[in-house]
Amino acid sequence: MLFHPMDFLILIAFGISLWAQFKVSSNFNTWSQVPASSGLTGAEVARMILDRNGLYDVPVEVVPGRLTDHYDPISRTVRLSEPVYYGRSIAAISVAAHEVGHAVQHQQSYGALVLRHRMFPIVNFASGAAPFLLLAGFLFQQLSLIGLGIIFFSFAVAFQLITLPVEFNASSRAKKFMLAEGIIYPDEKRGVNKVLRAAALTYVAATLISVLELLKYVLIFTQSNNNEE
């Protein structure tokens, strides 16, 4: 089947995803030009928040690239891109605080994050196998392979759904940390919100695409199964 009615919705979701990626880059560029009143760098903010939460053993490292910031739960390391690590802007400290939010989630065994970590090995295998199973199922008209591919793909979709509260919670923690420690003033919250909401939207858009794709496969499977009966 070359085209399915769900493809129209998927294309819309894909357009939203592209727009979200544009907003991330645009907001980061805009608020990178606005100095934070604290004068602190992203690295200093990350270190401060980590220490306030007793995470003295969690290092903050600089990594090359742009918007490559992340928290590594395996090595328990906060890694910041160069513009964030050295930057003293609203954008830089917002991203740094967000990544530290994940480290604090890890320390406190935040439920969604724990579940996400436990699912990762399964999802890593399932998401790699799902496309091949679905492709083989459609090529050879084997409903059993399509069904298995849908089950495997469902794990990847569930993983993305669980990622949403993890990301939103990390951003919420970041804003609370920065306000509580006097890293930002109330009138700087607007910039922080702009940067973090744009980043969160990319996760929402990616999840929407996956959910719609899964629904498409389920509908095709159901219709094919009905036709065989």
Side-chain angles (χ1 to χ4, degrees):
M1 181 175 293
L2 296 177
F3 179 80
H4 188 275
M6 286 297 297
D7 289 332
F8 179 70
L9 293 178
I10 293 172
L11 282 174
I12 293 175
F14 184 72
I16 294 174
S17 178
L18 292 177
W19 177 76
Q21 291 174 35
F22 167 77
K23 290 296 291 183
V24 168
S25 181
S26 174
N27 279 317
F28 186 83
N29 289 339
T30 298
W31 293 97
S32 287
Q33 307 303 314
V34 181
S37 57
S38 64
L40 298 172
T41 65
E44 290 170 337
V45 166
R47 184 74 269 155
M48 178 187 295
I49 298 174
L50 286 168
D51 291 348
R52 291 287 194 276
N53 286 275
L55 294 171
Y56 307 105
D57 58 336
V58 175
V60 180
E61 298 177 352
V62 61
V63 291
R66 183 175 179 275
L67 297 176
T68 51
D69 314 89
H70 63 280
Y71 169 67
D72 184 347
I74 297 176
S75 63
R76 298 181 69 88
T77 302
V78 173
R79 296 196 173 101
L80 304 177
S81 61
E82 292 177 354
V84 170
Y85 189 94
Y86 298 110
R88 300 177 187 274
S89 66
I90 294 294
I93 65 173
S94 298
V95 172
H98 172 88
E99 298 308 332
V100 172
H102 289 309
V104 177
Q105 287 175 335
H106 195 177
Q107 175 203 39
Q108 297 178 355
S109 297
Y110 176 62
L113 185 71
V114 171
L115 179 58
R116 189 172 180 270
H117 289 171
R118 289 177 178 173
M119 285 181 63
F120 182 76
I122 300 172
V123 172
N124 195 37
F125 169 76
S127 61
F132 295 102
L133 290 169
L134 290 167
L135 180 62
F138 288 127
L139 283 176
F140 300 109
Q141 296 296 302
Q142 292 293 318
L143 287 180
S144 58
L145 290 178
I146 296 175
L148 189 58
I150 288 173
I151 292 172
F152 279 24
F153 189 57
S154 296
F155 283 106
V157 174
F159 186 80
Q160 287 184 300
L161 287 169
I162 292 168
T163 296
L164 294 181
V166 172
E167 294 300 323
F168 281 109
N169 180 264
S171 291
S172 177
R173 290 172 187 264
K175 286 179 276 189
K176 289 178 181 176
F177 290 150
M178 289 192 287
L179 283 170
E181 299 298 331
I183 296 170
I184 60 170
Y185 293 123
D187 61 352
E188 293 176 307
K189 282 180 62 178
R190 176 173 171 270
V192 174
N193 287 332
K194 286 273 189 179
V195 172
L196 297 182
R197 284 175 182 169
L201 184 59
T202 62
Y203 289 97
V204 174
T207 301
L208 178 60
I209 291 173
S210 295
V211 169
L212 291 174
E213 286 182 339
L214 177 60
L215 181 57
K216 170 187 171 180
Y217 295 138
V218 170
L219 291 173
I220 293 174
F221 176 82
T222 302
Q223 183 179 11
S224 300
N225 192 44
N226 290 338
N227 289 340
E228 287 196 357
E229 293 179 354

